Amino acid sequence: MHPVTRADFDQYMVPNYAPAQWLPVRGQGSRLWDQHGRDYLDLAAGIAVTSLGHCHPAMVKALTEQAQQLWHVSNTLTNEPALRLARKLVDATFAERVFFCNSGAEANEAAFKLARKVASDRDPARDEIIAASNSFHGRTLFTVSVGGQPKYSEGFGPRPQAISHVPYNDIAALRAAVSARTCAIVVEPVQGEGGVLPASREYLQAARELADAHGALLIFDEVQTGVGRTGALYAYQQYGVTPDILTSAKGLGGGFPIGAMLTTSEIAQHFSVGTHGTTYGGNPLACAVAEAVIDTVNTAEVQANVTARAAQLRAGLEALNAELGLFAEVRGMGLLLGAVLNDHYAGRAGEVVAKAAEAGVIVLQAGPNVVRFAPSLVIGEGEVSEALGRLGSALQAFAG
Ligand SMILES: *Cc1c(COP(=O)(O)O)cnc(C)c1O
């Protein structure tokens, strides 16, 4: 068999992605290497996934040790890594109960089903889920329907019903929408895919108060913001607003697939035996890796690095912008940053991403106008400077 190349993607894969022309084969820390040995500095971390960089020794150790012990049992049995991880998540958050699954979409699917189940048990007239326009919650039919980007939910036949959307960060619109029919309000504390747009503290506080006043649940989708990315273990802790249900994935496994839904005992009891499940949820390999991630991330040292590297990256982007005048603003929280292209360059974030890759630095876009940065939480000062240097050349070439 001939060695695989990027051309094989077009020949063999379902064409729902358009990957870059270069093909990574190895990663270490915040660096990736392609098939020809060229290196790339990684300011994307997958999409906010490889929270400890590539092949972090604590994760390699956890994975390989667990690989010698036990890979899988069904949910007719439980296992030690899942129980240890659940205990750590409960100890570190508002939650009293944890449900494990394999992705962000599945964590949200569980959250939305649980909210509907709670409503159906307490008050069957209540079924409405209120979400934000431009939000992103995953790609299952329920999660694209709750997500506020119609382009992702159209063309797949009838959608789940009783879902409405209100503009993000608009307290009056949320107040007008919530009623005795509302079973849950769903919010991303920072809209990630929607353009790295942080919620205001007042908005999250209002969402909490409105949910309480109308007997609805408050769900925070922290799939992208969670596990240290914003400068706390979860962003809700920085906002000082506690949800009833929180979903986590992406950074939780640091590159190994896992998702989690966190909630209180009171709410969790509505998922009684047999009401919901998934074959791989609580997989020992995934949970062992996630435990190593939590142990490493939930430390003062890593949180201090997030704050310091975020300041460095922001300052570097502001300095490049002072020179080149590309961005209207740099926004975000911790190491989830978005540089918003100004009107002159509107719609061209994809070109910036491509130019950056040519210069050997990986960045992301978040919609057509925002260049997104979500590096490893343990990226070094030297790596950030080097990446900013490469990005500077890329932006210069882009501004032409
Ligand atoms: C990525 C993302 C999801 C979906 O996660 P998957 O693991 O791709 O299913 C859901 N919500 C938010 C906020 C995300 O950023």
Side-chain angles (χ1 to χ4, degrees), residues 86-324:
R87 205 150 77 180
K88 285 179 180 175
L89 288 169
V90 164
D91 285 349
T93 66
F94 76 96
E96 297 161 327
R97 302 286 167 148
V98 181
F99 168 80
F100 289 122
C101 51
N102 313 289
S103 69
E106 279 180 69
N108 285 327
E109 185 82 22
F112 303 158
K113 280 181 70 181
L114 178 58
R116 283 271 179 84
K117 187 71 171 62
V118 170
S120 135
D121 291 346
R122 287 179 182 164
D123 170 10
R126 202 186 268 280
D127 58 9
E128 184 194 33
I129 295 175
I130 297 179
S133 310
N134 226 21
S135 62
F136 184 80
H137 299 297
R139 296 293 201 126
T140 64
L141 194 55
F142 198 175
T143 56
V144 284
S145 301
V146 174
Q149 304 189 49
K151 65 173 192 255
Y152 292 146
S153 60
E154 283 164 359
F156 301 104
R159 283 171 283 206
Q161 298 296 296
I163 297 164
S164 50
H165 295 97
V166 292
Y168 189 65
N169 264 340
D170 183 336
I171 294 173
L174 187 59
R175 179 169 293 121
V178 182
S179 73
R181 262 201 67 202
T182 308
C183 89
I185 301 170
V186 185
V187 191
E188 292 167 86
V190 179
Q191 281 196 338
E193 301 307 304
V196 193
L197 189 57
S200 69
R201 183 182 302 265
E202 297 70 36
Y203 181 64
L204 295 187
Q205 278 166 348
R208 177 71 276 172
E209 285 161 19
L210 287 166
D212 289 342
H214 292 270
L217 300 180
L218 181 62
I219 302 173
F220 281 175
D221 178 346
E222 293 228 32
V223 169
Q224 191 154 158
T225 53
V227 196
R229 175 131 314 264
T230 59
L233 188 62
Y234 287 98
Y236 85 86
Q237 296 164 323
Q238 279 159 296
Y239 278 101
V241 178
T242 304
D244 301 298
I245 301 176
L246 179 150
T247 55
S248 188
K250 290 202 166 95
L252 180 60
F256 203 100
I258 184 170
M261 177 187 71
L262 280 55
T263 188
T264 63
S265 307
E266 168 71 20
I267 294 168
Q269 68 183 344
H270 291 268
F271 263 1
S272 54
V273 175
T275 45
H276 189 63
T278 171
T279 296
Y280 281 116
N283 173 271
L285 295 168
C287 291
V289 173
E291 187 190 5
V293 172
I294 293 288
D295 285 346
T296 310
V297 164
N298 202 20
T299 56
E301 191 192 341
V302 170
Q303 292 310 310
N305 192 63
V306 170
T307 307
R309 295 294 74 78
Q312 183 190 359
L313 187 53
R314 257 182 200 266
L317 291 169
E318 297 288 6
L320 287 170
N321 196 35
E323 205 181 304
L324 297 166

